[in-house]
Amino acid sequence: MAGPTTARRGAKKSPSGPRSSPPSGGRRLGMPLPRLRRPGRRGVIIIAVLAVLLGGFGIWAFYGSDWLRLESVRATGTDVLTPQAVVAAASAPMTAPLASVDTDAVEHRLLARLPRLKSVVVTRSWPHTLALEVTERTPELLLQTNGKFAEVDGEGVRFATVARAPKGVPLLKMTGSDSPSRGRFGTSRLLRASVAVAQDLPTVVRKDVRALRVRSYDSITLELADGRTVMWGSREQGAEKAKVLAALLKAARDARHVDVSVPSAPAVSGS
């Protein structure tokens, strides 16, 4: 017969360690977070009305009010042209809402009316100004016709005709109308080749060049102010020819004719 200390058959033993209890004052693990309350129907209506009112006010401020209207136009970057001429050619809609000004239309209008302009950037300067940043074309050569001079830029574009030749810009003399190069390359390509030669000229030489005489694509001659001539040849190897020419003009100051058409074998004569 079992004594009092004998364990009852089938009874579970209690754990040896202390029993854990859930932390007091905190949320039990695994419990869902409390859901945020969605605004009711009335709240949604109020928010929608406020959004519509703010949007309408913004549209009115930009297009209907007198706060943000075009009052002045400013032009910068001019050299030959005047800022007043650029502003006048822009024909901006004064007193119109600044937000409604078509900047692309203003740009296209300026480029069409002022061929001297190479590029135009039109920006709104809030609250009342339209800014025109222009870049003018730079003449590389001149073409003389009927006593006036057509300016030609680095892209071969004839952009303006002036009564007086600008200083430091060589005159282009197109000769040899029956040259095979005219039929093969065309006048426009010969013009671009001449412009490329003018751009390759070193600064120390360019200021003394009075004319470029073009007989054919491979026969371009420079005429200097002191009567000397330089046989340049074609437009190819322009950088090498420029270096050789600058060195020859410095070394052979008495030479009347310099030939750099083949830069690896230059020649001088008439000294």
Side-chain angles (χ1 to χ4, degrees):
M1 186 173 180
T5 57
T6 303
R8 183 175 298 179
R9 184 176 298 175
K12 294 182 179 180
K13 294 183 179 181
S14 61
S16 58
R19 296 181 63 183
S20 60
S21 59
S24 60
R27 181 178 59 84
R28 293 185 179 181
L29 298 178
M31 293 183 64
L33 292 172
R35 295 182 178 180
L36 297 176
R37 294 184 60 185
R38 295 181 178 179
R41 183 178 180 182
R42 183 178 180 182
V44 171
I45 293 175
I46 293 174
I47 293 174
V49 171
L50 289 175
V52 171
L53 290 175
L54 288 175
F57 176 79
I59 294 174
W60 174 82
F62 275 98
Y63 295 97
S65 73
D66 293 332
W67 300 343
L68 304 173
R69 291 186 175 273
L70 179 60
E71 296 180 359
S72 65
V73 182
R74 183 179 68 250
T76 58
T78 57
D79 184 18
V80 177
L81 296 172
T82 63
Q84 293 78 9
V86 174
V87 171
S91 297
M94 304 302 294
T95 72
L98 186 57
S100 69
V101 176
D102 189 340
T103 56
D104 289 338
V106 173
E107 176 185 345
H108 295 156
R109 195 154 51 239
L110 283 171
L111 293 176
R113 294 179 178 179
L114 301 175
R116 184 176 290 277
L117 295 182
K118 183 177 182 180
S119 64
V120 179
V121 177
V122 183
T123 55
R124 299 178 181 90
S125 182
W126 301 97
H128 304 296
T129 304
L130 194 67
L132 312 175
E133 184 179 353
V134 303
T135 301
E136 295 183 9
R137 297 181 183 273
T138 302
E140 296 290 345
L141 290 173
L142 300 173
L143 285 171
Q144 188 172 14
T145 54
N146 300 325
K148 294 186 178 182
F149 301 91
E151 295 178 299
V152 182
D153 73 351
E155 298 174 352
V157 176
R158 306 182 194 187
F159 61 89
T161 300
V162 295
R164 180 177 297 180
K167 291 184 179 180
V169 183
L171 180 66
L172 177 60
K173 299 178 180 179
M174 303 282 285
T175 60
S177 58
D178 57 346
S179 171
S181 291
R182 286 289 183 93
R184 180 181 178 187
F185 299 104
T187 302
S188 60
R189 187 171 177 184
L190 291 177
L191 178 60
R192 290 194 298 271
S194 304
V195 170
V197 171
Q199 291 177 318
D200 286 333
L201 293 176
T203 304
V204 66
V205 176
R206 180 181 174 85
K207 63 183 181 62
D208 292 329
V209 176
R210 291 295 175 263
L212 271 75
R213 185 177 297 276
V214 182
R215 294 184 176 87
S216 68
Y217 186 82
D218 297 320
S219 179
I220 300 176
T221 303
L222 312 180
E223 298 177 358
L224 305 186
D226 57 5
R228 290 183 293 177
T229 59
V230 177
M231 183 58 189
W232 189 271
S234 69
R235 62 173 292 183
E236 278 73 23
Q237 296 180 286
E240 292 81 359
K241 292 177 181 179
K243 293 179 181 179
V244 172
L245 177 59
L248 285 177
L249 292 179
K250 186 176 181 180
R253 298 181 181 273
D254 296 333
R256 304 305 300 168
H257 181 75
V258 178
D259 189 339
V260 294
S261 57
V262 181
S264 58
V268 296
S269 62
S271 56

